Amino acid sequence: MAQQVLIYSQFPKALMVRIGERYDLLDGKGMPPIETFTAEQLKPIRALITAGGQAIPAAVLDTLPSLGAIICYGTGYDGVDFAETKKRNIVVGHSPAANAASVADLAVTLMLATTRRLIPADAYVRSGGWSGKQPSPSMRPGPGMTGRKIGIYGMGEIGRKIAARCAAFETEVAYYSRSRHDVPYGYHTSLASLAEWSDILMVAVRAGKDTQHAVNADILKKLGLQGTVVNISRGSVIDQKALVAALESNAIAGAGLDVYEKEPHAPDALTKLPNVVLTPHIGGHTVESHIAMQDCTLANLDAFFSGRPLRYPVA
């Protein structure tokens, strides 16, 4: 008989097909498990799969007395309360670097779409403005990429891939992270220093208490009038109200965002702005990324149910 695994977050069914071929999946459809299943059904559950950013409160863990493993589908794990998991002897796994290339690709896409004003340019063609030779402020020439200074906040696997892609555009790349890495890019000792140096600030750091609103009004001010910020990390890293204020007042030139403070809701204050490019948290949403994340999830589940250490544990 297949081992039972609880699906804690709301995932498209297509993403769980491979996992469902090996395990008996109980789909909670993103609801608190006790609202979907009985206490008796939940009592034997030893493992669950979750989206890393979705919080798992202690009250939910109380309804899963046999839980021994939380497996995050993706690289993030900021929704996990590690004080609780340690107290309950629950191991936590994730999918490190599985979607790094795809997320880095989107970061560069957002950078180019924002700095080259691709959304207004597309609208200009579709509306007949170009063929009608209508003047448009959005079509004025702006800075290209050659020689621009790209600052990367966070030099993990995603940050490194962003850096390599940006370097190919003949830019100057530097970074700030908690520690220095053996990479061929300049290192800044603070985020403030990096922002002041940068033309474009790429946010690729993990979410957590130490990065909550790290990109605040002061950092955005240091980025400057011609500065652009791109966030493919977590919405919590940027103070969204400060970002809106900076964009509305033209304190910075633009922003490319794949993540928001309260998903799936991008506030009207952002959606109405012409100097912002928005995507619906699709950084890791490619076929290759999902296959890699499924591979990691299956490897972690197989190891756990075989009594071995997780293949990809959260360090």
Side-chain angles (χ1 to χ4, degrees):
M1 182 176 177
Q3 295 276 6
Q4 290 186 320
V5 176
L6 175 68
I7 306 299
Y8 179 69
S9 301
Q10 190 167 12
F11 293 107
K13 288 184 179 180
L15 301 185
M16 297 292 112
V17 169
R18 287 181 62 208
I19 302 168
E21 291 172 352
R22 196 173 304 178
Y23 295 97
D24 181 12
L25 301 181
L26 280 70
D27 190 357
K29 304 184 187 303
M31 303 288 288
I34 200 63
E35 294 183 16
T36 308
F37 303 102
T38 66
E40 282 302 308
Q41 288 175 304
L42 295 176
K43 187 175 181 180
I45 298 297
R46 297 176 56 211
L48 68 78
I49 299 172
T50 182
Q54 184 173 353
I56 307 178
V60 167
L61 297 177
D62 288 341
T63 67
L64 299 164
S66 301
L67 190 68
I70 294 174
I71 308 301
C72 299
Y73 183 89
T75 185
Y77 44 78
D78 43 300
V80 178
D81 185 336
F82 285 92
E84 285 293 331
T85 57
K86 182 178 181 179
K87 182 171 67 176
R88 299 167 190 258
N89 294 316
I90 298 171
V91 294
V92 182
H94 66 144
S95 309
N99 62 8
S102 296
V103 175
D105 288 347
L106 186 68
V108 174
T109 301
L110 286 170
M111 175 182 72
L112 294 173
T114 305
T115 58
R116 296 300 301 269
R117 298 191 291 274
L118 293 191
I119 304 303
D122 178 86
Y124 184 59
V125 174
R126 292 175 187 272
S127 67
W130 187 39
S131 60
K133 299 181 180 179
Q134 299 171 9
S136 171
S138 64
M139 292 300 100
R140 69 186 185 280
M145 295 307 300
T146 303
R148 300 201 86 183
K149 296 178 178 179
I150 312 296
I152 301 175
Y153 176 28
M155 193 47 70
E157 194 67 29
I158 292 173
R160 292 175 192 230
K161 290 184 181 296
I162 292 173
R165 284 156 172 75
C166 289
F169 286 96
E170 302 176 41
T171 64
E172 188 176 350
V173 177
Y175 73 100
Y176 164 69
S177 65
R178 287 179 298 180
S179 57
R180 297 188 70 149
H181 297 272
D182 184 18
V183 293
Y185 313 113
Y187 176 70
H188 286 251
T189 57
S190 70
L191 178 57
S193 171
L194 181 69
E196 196 160 26
W197 174 87
S198 300
D199 297 313
I200 298 166
L201 180 63
M202 296 282 206
V203 181
V205 73
R206 285 197 180 278
K209 292 180 180 179
D210 57 333
T211 61
Q212 177 85 15
H213 288 184
V215 180
N216 53 27
D218 182 57
I219 296 297
L220 294 169
K221 184 178 180 180
K222 290 182 183 300
L223 188 56
L225 299 176
Q226 299 301 315
T228 297
V229 62
V230 174
N231 189 9
I232 45 71
S233 165
R234 285 283 195 260
S236 62
V237 180
I238 295 182
D239 183 337
Q240 196 163 269
K241 289 184 179 179
L243 176 61
V244 169
L247 290 164
E248 288 180 335
S249 65
N250 295 312
I252 63 173
L257 306 172
D258 187 46
V259 290
Y260 312 89
E261 282 197 335
K262 294 182 179 180
E263 296 181 1
H265 305 290
D268 292 343
L270 281 175
T271 60
K272 71 180 182 182
L273 291 170
N275 54 344
V276 184
V277 178
L278 308 171
T279 52
H281 204 149
I282 57 170
H285 196 47
T286 64
V287 171
E288 295 84 358
S289 288
H290 282 299
I291 290 173
M293 288 188 283
Q294 290 160 17
D295 288 345
C296 291
T297 299
L298 284 167
N300 275 329
L301 288 172
D302 291 349
F304 172 71
F305 284 117
S306 298
R308 294 179 281 110
L310 296 185
R311 178 74 180 278
Y312 302 103
V314 173

